[in-house]
């Protein structure tokens, strides 16, 4: 579903899964023989494929998938079955109407044993008629929140047979007699996940940038009420409350842009290492991108809605473009790893790193701040409490404050987890009872990473004026985060009451400083009107006349008198 | 049969669901009436919502008109009247998808703003639906700020008419419901001009469509404003007026009149106008905001005991997702908030009724408080509930995004409530203005309304709690909220004064403090909501079983608020860091306790499956079967794919012929 964002930026299309998942999976998981058989027909669109993993009853927890593929050595075929209603494949894009093949993930059974999930190439529709093949039930799952263009589908298989050679066998294999041959390593699958999640981070930045562009341009065009009695109505962007809604989001859009670029670059660098066999950085990057995927998509999701609300009533009209940005973006909180689950993956890595540090080892990378804990272990109080002197106008100093917050929340979560374990609870139970703390720790860690990356970016900007305005945005981003999470900073004394008051004051000053550059800052995103798809966010600002033109095209306006008048209204009026 | 996963949830309820339902309804009689209305509506196939999720804008509009017409008949058949006990349940039973809501606003505005003569002329026509009304206030360029409206009405003495005009594009009426296609008349708001002098915004009755063939009247341009995030059944419209003449008698003249010679006369108090606005704000809360959030909780919580994922204990069956702490932390605070706001609605209703009684005695003293509270709570409740519904949606994983879950349409509908009837930020600032005024008065020793007397006693203090159990005491947390609200209001007032004393002009100072002012207003409303919840629980003493679970919910609502706004409570040291850890611990301890009663607590809302219209939230918990069945009804599954015929077939066939 998400894959449209790198297949072609903008609107989703039914062939996205074919191009974004079916073909790449063939490339990475098929044997040379299978590539010969399937790749060129698929490339030429004789085969239109999709990728069927998620089932009605199972998403993020892959081991729970129920579809079975049982090997029959007598005929050298796999027999595919959807044994329960919950096992029906559900959601794959392009499955409902478009595709004639699917890569299906199923539990492999051979010689009476379950060998876990494997991928199979399954023909689902007849060539020529496009009708479902016998044993296949396939259809569209019905309307969704957005994504109307995509035929997300369901797929049910009843004793459906495919040849042995249709299992993707580059890694694991089933021999003709049913002997199972294990794959060598599964670390490489990390790589794909990291890559896809880095795309979501980029998509968060882009979607939020689009919403900000619309809301900020419109706020410069819209006039309302009065600030000074007797004067003309001011632009709504002159209201402090409006600036407070929009400018932190603008800063966030910039921040996420840099984060997305960082992950992509790091991934490129590491994947260079992968071919050389050095995978040492992969676990950390994997853990980090899980959390950042969740952190950025949650924030962007809320931010897009705030942009829409900031446009008042007109934001609610489809002509604003923001409703469509929202419905297209919001599922990214769920797909490619549900966000809470992602946060907990990052937490697992953080706790592991913390445990290492407490047992005297050093950790590297983004979590290296945890090393400081070992030096402070002799002291009884919280880690963060002593060291930081925060200068609220210095991004580097704010990075330290975020670091201290992350350290303290990771430590608190790890300690709470240990306390639960000491109550002789099972590991899983203890983990579950600490998971709210763990998610908070992950969020704090991700927040720190974002502030750090944004700050690091500043020194790379050579143009002084650009650096100045980005520094203001960076400060705004960091201070806004503090003011929204003051509890974390106050509770352990990273900041004092007086500093928090200063932060809030400085924040408001920054709003006024950024105000003159606000439109220029969204213009820099360089979205064309066609791509933006918004009447409110037009570059030329001619909002009202174009809203009228847009409305005239509404389907309800096709005839001057709507048919329901003749059918319902007129009979009612004449009866009385 | 009921899915065993959901059946087991009901066996362990700590209270009687039926008793809770009756209590929420305010008595057995109400429950009976409500169920009878729901039954009558839902058993009538004309009101079926079975295909709602598959319909286009055109189809939904037509269905809404058809239902509205049928409703007239139904009410007559059933003997339901506008003043009868059934009336308030009809809308809930229809779940909103019905036309002519603005027609009722049209009627209400004439009754409130019209002279006796005007009422006698228009109300019977409108009540019998011989004309269909709308209410045209908002313009393309102006919403909340009424003085800014640009439509003009110029009095022409020679013909004794008003000439209405839309002088420029931003002055077009935009958004009014029922106006795009249905309405024949509207109450249009325009700047009144007499002999070149502007007298401000006034309401005029304007006919826009022919009563014979529904064509547009001369000088009228009107139509539908196009697709929105939801409300596709409503024909929100635009309207441009070009030298449209209406007789002098069409200006609604309860409070002012233009006499034949052009003399402008005003009488009576306009304060009563506020009263109309507050009445609308309060009445929208229950139907448009609280009911949807209760539905969203019902759907998400029921689904969360049917959906299983991953393992909590190795080797065991996958766990119900509601057993995960993170899932509880998403949903249970929303459930608590749904209850809190249900009770706030009662509180506002009572305040409203009392004010109304006083007003009839010509005493307007309570009006400012009512106005401030209805504004503030409208903002706080709509905002909170909107995000609550979104949380519910996202807590349902992928299936939440299917329209068949019912959640996307609940969300896209409720979020409009943050904008209409006053944009939330502006409303919060109105509440803040009242609070600052009261704070000043209280500091000067003058009397203030009882709900804000706490503002007289704001001073530095410390929370007396010693352990985590202390935070389950309503006195402790209500006090904490009161202190926090008082501190925010007093510090903002001080800031305002500092600015003014340092020479900043009053309006600039106000604008520079608006972010803080809005926060202070929210804090006050949050405090009142907590206090009111605690009071409601206290009054439940006679119903012990219910009181216990309500007390847990009240604690959860209060502690969740402290947990998520920790900074505000820590700021001046009212709570210490150690106390905040106690709050967190107590808060997290409550989750598994309420978890046990979660399904019974949503069952008590007593929504029928038809009214939920959700494949995920049905009473019997047969989620997957229903999802599969409903999906097959999708029109896309009833036909061969047109895209196949048009594009895929040629593509695939060309390739075939080449092979």
């Amino acid at each position: 579903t998400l894959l449209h964002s790198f297949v072609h930026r903008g609107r989703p299309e039914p062939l996205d899964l074919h191009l974004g998942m079916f073909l790449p999976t063939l490339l990475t998981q098929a044997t040379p023989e299978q590539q010969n058989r399937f790749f060129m027909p698929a490339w030429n669109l004789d085969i239109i494929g999709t990728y069927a993993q998620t089932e009605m009853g199972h998403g993020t927890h892959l081991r729970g998938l129920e579809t079975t593929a049982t090997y029959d050595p007598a005929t050298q075929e796999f027999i595919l079955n959807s044994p329960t209603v919950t096992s029906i494949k559900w959601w794959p894009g392009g499955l409902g109407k478009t595709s004639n093949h699917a890569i299906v993930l199923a539990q492999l059974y051979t010689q009476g044993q379950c060998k876990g999930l494997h991928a199979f190439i399954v023909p689902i529709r007849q060539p020529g008629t496009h009708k479902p093949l016998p044993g296949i039930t396939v259809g569209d799952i019905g309307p969704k929140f957005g994504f109307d263009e995509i035929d997300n589908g369901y797929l049910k298989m009843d004793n459906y047979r495919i040849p042995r050679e249709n299992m993707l066998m580059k890694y694991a294999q089933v021999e003709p007699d049913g002997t199972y041959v294990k794959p060598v390593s599964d670390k490489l699958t990390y790589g794909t996940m990291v890559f896809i999640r880095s795309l979501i981070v980029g998509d968060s930045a882009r979607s939020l940038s689009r919403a900000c562009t619309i809301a900020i341009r419109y706020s410069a065009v819209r006039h309302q009420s009065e600030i000074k009695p007797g004067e003309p109505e001011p632009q709504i962007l002159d209201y402090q409350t409006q600036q407070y809604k929009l400018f932190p989001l603008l800063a966030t859009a910039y921040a996420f842009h840099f984060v997305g670029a960082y992950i992509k670059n790091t991934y490129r660098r590491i994947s260079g290492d992968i071919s050389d066999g050095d995978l040492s950085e992969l676990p950390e990057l994997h853990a980090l991108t899980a959390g950042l995927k969740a952190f950025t998509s949650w924030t962007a999701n809320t931010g897009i809605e705030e942009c829409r609300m900031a446009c008042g009533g007109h934001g609610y009209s489809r002509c604003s473009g923001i409703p469509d940005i929202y419905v297209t973006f919001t599922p990214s909180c769920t797909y490619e790893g549900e966000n809470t689950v992602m946060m907990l993956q990052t937490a697992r890595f953080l706790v592991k790193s913390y445990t290492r540090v407490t047992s005297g080892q050093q950790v590297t990378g983004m979590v290296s701040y945890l090393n400081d804990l070992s030096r402070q272990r002799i002291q009884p109080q919280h880690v963060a409490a002593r060291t930081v002197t925060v200068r609220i106008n210095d991004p580097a100093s704010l990075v330290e404050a975020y670091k201290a917050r992350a350290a303290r929340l990771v430590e608190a979560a790890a300690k709470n987890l240990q306390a639960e374990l000491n109550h002789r609870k099972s590991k899983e139970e203890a983990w579950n009872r600490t998971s709210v703390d763990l998610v908070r720790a992950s969020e704090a860690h991700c927040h720190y990473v974002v502030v750090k990356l944004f700050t690091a970016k500043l020194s790379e900007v050579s143009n002084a004026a650009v650096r100045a305005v980005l520094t203001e945005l960076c400060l705004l981003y960091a201070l806004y985060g503090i003011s929204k999470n003051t509890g974390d900073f106050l509770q352990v004394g990273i900041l004092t009451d007086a500093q928090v008051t200063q932060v809030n004051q400085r924040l408001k000053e920054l709003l006024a400083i950024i105000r003159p550059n606000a439109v220029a800052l969204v213009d820099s995103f360089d979205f064309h009107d066609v791509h933006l798809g918004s009447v409110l966010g037009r570059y030329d600002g001619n909002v009202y006349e174009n809203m009228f033109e847009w409305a005239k095209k509404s389907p309800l306006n096709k005839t001057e008198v709507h048919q329901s008048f003749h059918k319902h209204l007129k009979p009612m009026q004449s009866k009385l | 049969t009921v899915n065993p996963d959901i059946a087991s949830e009901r066996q362990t309820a700590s209270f009687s669901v039926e008793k809770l339902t009756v209590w929420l309804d305010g008595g057995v009689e109400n429950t009976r009436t409500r169920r009878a209305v729901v039954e009558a509506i839902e058993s009538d196939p004309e009101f079926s919502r079975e295909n709602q999720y598959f319909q286009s804008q055109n189809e939904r509009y037509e269905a809404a008109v058809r239902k509205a017409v049928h409703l007239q008949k139904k009410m007559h058949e059933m003997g339901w009247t506008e003043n009868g006990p059934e009336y308030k349940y009809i809308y809930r039973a229809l779940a909103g998808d019905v036309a002519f809501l603005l027609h009722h606003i049209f009627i209400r505005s004439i009754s409130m703003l019209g002279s006796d003569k005007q009422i006698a002329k228009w109300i019977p026509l409108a009540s019998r639906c011989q004309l269909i009304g709308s209410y045209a206030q908002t313009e393309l360029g102006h919403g909340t700020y009424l003085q800014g409206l640009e439509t003009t009405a110029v009095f022409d003495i020679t013909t004794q008419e008003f000439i209405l005009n839309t002088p420029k594009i931003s002055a077009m009426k935009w958004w009014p419901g029922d106006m795009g296609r249905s309405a024949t008349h509207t109450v249009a708001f325009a700047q009144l001009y007499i002999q070149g002098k502007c007298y401000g915004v006034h309401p005029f009755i304007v006919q826009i469509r022919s009563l014979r063939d529904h064509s547009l009247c001369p000088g009228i341009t009107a139509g539908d404003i196009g697709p929105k995030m939801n409300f596709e059944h409503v024909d929100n419209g635009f309207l441009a007026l070009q030298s449209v003449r209406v007789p002098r008698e069409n200006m609604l003249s309860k409070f002012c009149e233009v006499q034949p010679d052009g003399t402008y006369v005003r009488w009576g108090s306009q304060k009563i106008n506020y009263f109309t606005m507050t009445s609308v704000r309060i009445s929208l809360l229950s139907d448009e905001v609280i009911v949807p959030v209760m539905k969203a909780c019902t759907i998400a919580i029921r689904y969360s005991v049917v959906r299983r994922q991953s393992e909590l204990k190795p080797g065991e069956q996958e766990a119900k997702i509601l057993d995960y702490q993170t899932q509880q932390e998403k949903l249970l605070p929303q459930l608590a908030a749904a209850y809190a706001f249900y009770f706030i609605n009662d509180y506002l209703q009572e305040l409203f009724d009392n004010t109304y009684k006083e007003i009839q005695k010509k005493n307007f003293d309570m009006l400012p408080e009512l106005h401030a509270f209805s504004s503030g709570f409208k903002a706080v409740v709509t905002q909170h509930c909107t995000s609550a519904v979104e949380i519910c949606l996202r807590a349902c994983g992928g299936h939440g995004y299917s329209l068949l879950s019912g959640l996307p349409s609940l969300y896209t509908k409720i979020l409009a409530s943050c904008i209409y009837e006053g944009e939330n930020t502006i409303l919060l600032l109105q509440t803040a203005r009242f609070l600052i005024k009261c704070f000043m008065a209280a500091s000067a020793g003058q009397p203030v309304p009882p709900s804000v007397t706490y503002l007289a006693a704001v001073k530095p203090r410390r929370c007396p709690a010693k352990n985590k159990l202390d935070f389950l005491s309503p006195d402790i947390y209500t006090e904490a909220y009161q202190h926090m609200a008082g501190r925010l209001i007093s510090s903002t007032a001080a800031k305002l004064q500092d600015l003014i004393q340092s020479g900043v002009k009053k309006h600039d100072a106000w604008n520079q403090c608006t972010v803080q002012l809005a926060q202070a207003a929210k804090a006050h409303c949050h405090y009142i909501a907590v206090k009111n919840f605690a009071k409601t629980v206290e009054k439940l003493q006679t119903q012990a079983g219910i009181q216990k679970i309500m007390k847990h919910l009240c604690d959860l609502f209060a502690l969740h608020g402290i947990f998520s706004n920790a900074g505000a409570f820590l700021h001046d040291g009212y709570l210490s860091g150690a106390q905040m850890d106690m709050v967190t611990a107590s808060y997290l301890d409550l989750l598994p306790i309420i978890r046990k009663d979660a399904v019974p607590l949503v069952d008590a809302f007593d929504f029928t499956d038809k009214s939920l219209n959700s494949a995920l939230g049905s009473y019997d918990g047969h989620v997957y079967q229903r999802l599969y069945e409903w999906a097959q009804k999708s029109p896309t599954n009833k036909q061969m794919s047109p895209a196949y015929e048009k594009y895929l077939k040629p593509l695939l066939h060309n390739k075939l012929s080449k092979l």
Side-chain angles (χ1 to χ4, degrees), chain A residues 28 57 120 194 206 333 469:
Chain A
T28 53
F120 302 85
V194 168
R206 214 164 22 251
C333 295
V469 74

Side-chain angles (χ1 to χ4, degrees), chain A residues 22 25-31 34-35 38 51 78 103-104 118-121 164-174:
Chain A
F22 189 79
T25 309
L26 279 181
L27 281 176
T28 53
Q29 296 188 36
T31 62
Q34 289 173 322
Q35 299 211 4
F38 294 111
Y51 187 82
F78 291 103
I103 289 177
V104 169
H118 290 75
F120 302 85
I121 298 183
R164 184 184 68 91
E165 294 78 14
N166 276 26
M167 173 176 143
L168 290 176
M169 293 211 257
K170 185 168 179 185
Y171 301 108
Q173 285 156 25
V174 173

Side-chain angles (χ1 to χ4, degrees), chain B residues 15 20 335 339 549-550 553 594 597-605:
Chain B
F15 61 92
L20 179 53
L335 178 64
Y339 274 94
I549 186 66
M550 286 297 122
L553 280 177
I594 295 169
D597 279 323
V599 169
L601 279 167
V602 296
D603 283 352
F605 294 146

Side-chain angles (χ1 to χ4, degrees), chain B residues 462-490:
Chain B
R462 295 267 182 275
C463 172
K466 299 217 166 28
N467 57 52
K468 69 175 182 176
L469 292 181
D470 286 348
F471 280 102
L472 299 179
S473 148
D475 288 344
I476 294 279
Y477 54 67
T478 309
E479 182 87 9
Y481 274 94
Q482 188 195 74
H483 176 80
M484 190 261 306
R487 176 180 66 77
L488 284 172
I489 293 162
S490 71

Side-chain angles (χ1 to χ4, degrees), chain A residues 477-495:
Chain A
Y477 179 77
L479 295 177
Y480 182 76
I482 293 176
S483 104
K484 284 275 136 183
N485 298 284
T486 45
D488 293 346
F489 292 89
L490 282 173
Q491 191 175 357
V492 290
I494 302 168
L495 295 173

Side-chain angles (χ1 to χ4, degrees), chain A residues 44-46 48 56-59 61 64 85-86 88 90-91 97-98 100 128-130 137 139-145 154 156 222 224-229 233 238-241 244-245 298 301 305 308-309 312-314 316-318 323 326 330-331 333-334 338 340 428 432-436 439-440 486-487 490-491 497 500-501 505 508 544-545 547-548 550-551 554-557 559-565 567-570 572-573 576, chain B residues 53-54 57-58 61-62 65-66 69 100 128-129 132 140-143 145 148 169-170 172 174-175 181 213-216 223-231 238 307 309-310 312 314 318 323-326 329-330 390 394 397-399 401-404 408 411-412 415-416 418-419 423 425-426 495 507 511-516 519 563 566-567 570-572 577 580-581 624 627-628 631-632 634 636-637 639-641 644 648 652-653 655:
Chain A
N44 290 329
L45 295 176
D46 295 329
I48 299 173
M56 205 190 296
H58 305 275
H61 183 62
V85 178
T86 45
I88 297 173
W90 203 264
W91 282 109
K97 299 274 122 182
T98 312
N100 53 24
T129 64
H130 212 59
T137 310
D140 179 84
I141 62 162
K144 299 139 301 200
F145 202 20
Y154 59 79
K156 186 168 171 299
R222 178 84 173 180
Q224 188 173 285
S225 308
E226 30 186 45
I227 292 178
K228 288 177 197 163
E233 296 179 67
D238 288 334
Y239 288 93
Q240 189 188 57
T241 44
Y244 187 71
K245 283 177 200 170
W298 265 336
N301 185 68
E305 282 296 76
R308 187 185 52 69
M309 301 270 204
H314 296 331
Y316 192 74
S317 165
R318 293 275 296 273
Y326 175 75
T330 187
C333 295
T334 305
E338 197 277 327
T340 304
E428 289 75 12
N432 187 30
R433 290 184 60 95
T434 323
S435 50
V436 168
V439 170
R440 278 179 78 194
T486 45
L490 282 173
Q491 191 175 357
D497 287 359
V500 167
T501 307
Q505 187 50 35
K508 285 184 268 180
Y544 296 130
E545 47 276 58
M547 276 182 79
F548 187 33
W550 183 88
S554 171
L556 283 192
N557 290 332
T559 52
E560 194 191 277
V561 178
H562 195 269
Q563 55 176 4
S564 62
F565 170 73
K567 275 203 212 159
H568 307 295
L569 294 181
K570 205 172 173 185
M572 170 180 79
Q573 285 165 344
L576 292 157
Chain B
Y53 299 129
F54 302 125
Q57 188 192 3
N58 254 320
Y61 164 68
E62 190 179 330
V65 171
R66 177 173 51 74
V69 171
F100 304 160
R128 291 196 306 261
C129 285
I132 295 161
L140 195 42
H142 289 90
Y145 182 65
I169 200 139
S170 59
M172 284 181 95
W174 204 270
W175 282 108
R181 300 276 85 188
D213 63 5
H214 218 61
S215 61
L216 292 171
D224 176 82
I225 63 162
K228 301 137 291 191
M229 274 188 106
N230 198 328
F231 288 93
F238 60 77
R307 178 80 173 182
Q309 188 173 284
S310 308
L312 261 179
E318 290 184 65
D323 287 328
Y324 289 92
Q325 190 188 45
T326 45
E329 214 258 330
K330 282 176 197 169
E390 205 206 4
R394 282 196 276 130
H399 296 324
Y401 296 102
S402 168
L403 291 199
L404 308 181
Y411 177 63
T412 50
L415 59 82
C418 295
I419 308 284
E423 196 275 330
T425 304
I426 293 171
K495 174 91 209 234
H507 51 260
N511 189 33
Q512 284 177 38
C513 290
T514 43
V515 167
Q516 264 172 286
Q519 278 161 358
F563 173 76
L570 288 164
H571 188 90
D572 60 347
M580 193 53 77
D581 285 340
Y624 298 117
L627 205 49
Y628 188 42
Q632 293 175 64
S634 175
T636 47
N637 287 329
Q639 59 197 30
M640 200 57 193
S641 151
Y644 173 73
L648 295 178
L652 295 165
H653 275 234
K655 297 287 164 51

